[in-house]
Amino acid sequence: GSLRGNLRQLTVLDDTPLGAVIFRQRRLRRSTMEIARSAGGIWGRRSLFLFRNRPLLVAEYFLPALLQQIRASEPSDRRDQES
């Protein structure tokens, strides 16, 4: 599996951010980020990371409450442009 050696620490992250562990790896390569909207309307993105030719797929989904909070914090002139 991919979670051997330095990446084994991903199995015990506790409250450590995933990025803090992955981006410390010097031999890490990242694919182009893919962004999509699910059938349920939830936005997400994913990237395939390669560390010593071992794949690690990372997917993130942005829940509606988070998107609403972001929109509410934008300046009103910017929201008007997107409508």
Side-chain angles (χ1 to χ4, degrees):
S2 294
L3 300 179
R4 289 190 233 153
N6 291 348
L7 292 180
R8 184 155 179 79
Q9 58 191 303
L10 294 179
T11 63
V12 288
L13 284 177
D14 293 322
D15 61 354
T16 303
L18 178 61
V21 176
I22 312 181
F23 293 114
R24 275 195 304 240
Q25 309 304 318
R26 287 197 260 149
R27 296 182 183 174
L28 183 77
R29 289 182 304 178
R30 184 181 195 172
S31 70
T32 302
M33 186 178 301
E34 298 176 1
I35 299 173
R37 190 171 186 175
S38 73
I42 297 176
W43 284 97
R45 65 184 183 183
R46 70 180 183 183
S47 293
L48 180 65
F49 293 89
L50 291 174
F51 179 70
R52 296 186 178 162
N53 294 318
R54 293 188 311 231
L56 177 67
L57 181 63
V58 176
E60 302 169 277
Y61 294 93
F62 305 101
L63 300 179
L66 174 64
L67 295 176
Q68 289 171 356
Q69 186 175 2
I70 291 169
R71 287 186 187 118
S73 68
E74 290 179 339
S76 61
D77 60 333
R78 181 169 178 187
R79 286 193 305 261
D80 294 340
Q81 292 173 357
E82 293 178 358
S83 300

